[in-house]
């Protein structure tokens, strides 16, 4: 199972934020007891400063290159426009990290990172060493919230959060963690999907 996660920026200004995309793959790897546990690998990282038409073209190219099963786009700023554009083309896009949260729930960067930190600590997250920008993604995650850039880190927390919500990954202590021999169906969010 492959998932792409995007955090988009409004402009290509050299002083602005990056648009970023990470591609993740779920695979099974034996734990210390020999049971095959769902793990996730950061396959590829991409970031650039792009105007919207170039951003849309680049996202389509990344989707073509990596053939993700699902793509989640941060539902803010230019991400809203990207979701609408790609959906009108017949491309299934899942909105992510919406600013609309329930009462008493925080959706800031630190809260999202804290929500997935146990996944990172559990040893089920890997990365492809053949993609140099993956090192930058790891550095951004480690530097949250005080790093110079956090666009790749935002895509990482969004990807891990949504993979966990769909019970595709977890820790061995999660009730919903999938093992290779489980028959548990993947849970899909209810509600409006674009």
């Amino acid at each position: 199972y492959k998932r792409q996660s995007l955090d988009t920026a409004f402009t290509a200004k050299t002083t602005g934020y990056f648009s970023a995309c990470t591609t993740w793959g779920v695979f099974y790897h034996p734990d210390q007891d020999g049971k095959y546990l769902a793990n996730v690998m950061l396959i590829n990282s991409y970031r650039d400063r792009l105007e919207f038409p170039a951003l849309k073209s680049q996202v389509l190219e990344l989707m073509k290159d990596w053939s993700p099963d699902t793509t989640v786009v941060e539902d803010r700023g230019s991400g809203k426009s990207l979701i609408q554009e790609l959906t009108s083309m017949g491309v299934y896009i899942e909105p992510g990290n919406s600013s609309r949260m329930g009462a008493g729930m925080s959706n800031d960067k630190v809260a999202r990172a804290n929500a997935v930190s146990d996944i990172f600590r559990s040893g089920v997250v890997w990365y492809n060493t053949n993609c140099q920008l993956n090192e930058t993604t790891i550095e951004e995650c480690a530097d949250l919230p005080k790093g110079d850039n956090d666009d790749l880190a935002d895509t990482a927390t969004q990807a891990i959060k949504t993979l966990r919500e769909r019970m595709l990954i977890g820790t061995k202590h999660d009730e919903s963690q999938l093992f290779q021999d489980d028959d548990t169906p993947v849970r899909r969010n209810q509600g409006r999907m674009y």
Side-chain angles (χ1 to χ4, degrees):
Y1 180 86
K2 282 191 276 185
R3 182 171 193 81
Q4 280 185 327
S5 178
L6 287 107
D7 178 21
T8 61
F10 268 117
T11 68
K13 291 181 185 176
T14 57
T15 58
Y17 296 107
F18 287 99
S19 288
C21 176
T22 51
T23 304
W24 300 81
V26 176
F27 67 99
Y28 291 93
H29 185 73
D31 64 10
Q32 63 272 17
D33 299 325
K35 195 166 186 183
Y36 281 80
L37 182 73
N39 283 243
V40 64
M41 178 177 284
L42 174 60
I43 300 170
N44 188 64
S45 298
Y46 170 86
R47 73 175 182 185
D48 201 354
R49 292 182 173 101
L50 304 166
E51 296 292 340
F52 187 80
L55 170 65
K56 178 179 153 187
S57 295
Q58 184 61 50
V59 168
L60 289 169
E61 187 67 28
L62 288 165
M63 291 174 83
K64 180 181 166 198
D65 289 348
W66 295 102
S67 303
D69 295 291
T70 57
T71 300
V72 59
V73 177
E74 186 176 40
D75 192 13
R76 296 180 185 167
S78 63
K80 286 183 178 294
S81 299
L82 186 63
I83 292 167
Q84 292 170 350
E85 285 279 321
L86 295 178
T87 301
S88 71
M89 295 171 60
V91 178
Y92 175 76
I93 299 293
E94 187 177 322
N97 285 350
S98 173
S99 57
R100 297 176 299 275
M101 295 291 288
M105 296 176 70
S106 176
N107 195 30
D108 68 11
K109 294 174 189 305
V110 175
R112 288 194 309 265
N114 285 336
V116 298
S117 62
D118 61 327
I119 298 289
F120 284 94
R121 281 193 302 266
S122 71
V124 298
V125 181
W126 303 66
Y127 73 99
N128 174 8
T129 59
N130 293 323
C131 176
Q132 191 171 18
L133 200 54
N134 283 350
E135 296 281 346
T136 304
T137 302
I138 294 165
E139 289 168 12
E140 282 190 17
C141 289
D143 290 345
L144 267 176
K146 297 181 181 185
D148 292 336
N149 296 297
D150 59 14
D151 311 290
L152 288 165
D154 283 348
T155 69
T157 59
Q158 177 175 254
I160 299 298
K161 177 180 171 276
T162 56
L163 287 168
R164 189 179 200 181
E165 287 170 350
R166 280 143 192 83
M167 299 186 298
L168 290 168
I169 61 168
T171 69
K172 66 180 181 178
H173 303 292
D174 286 349
E175 185 177 303
S176 62
Q177 168 60 336
L178 288 181
F179 292 91
Q180 192 170 28
D181 57 355
D182 287 343
D183 294 330
T184 308
V186 175
R187 186 179 78 206
R188 303 283 181 207
N189 277 356
Q190 298 299 311
R192 185 175 79 183
M193 299 304 274
Y194 291 82

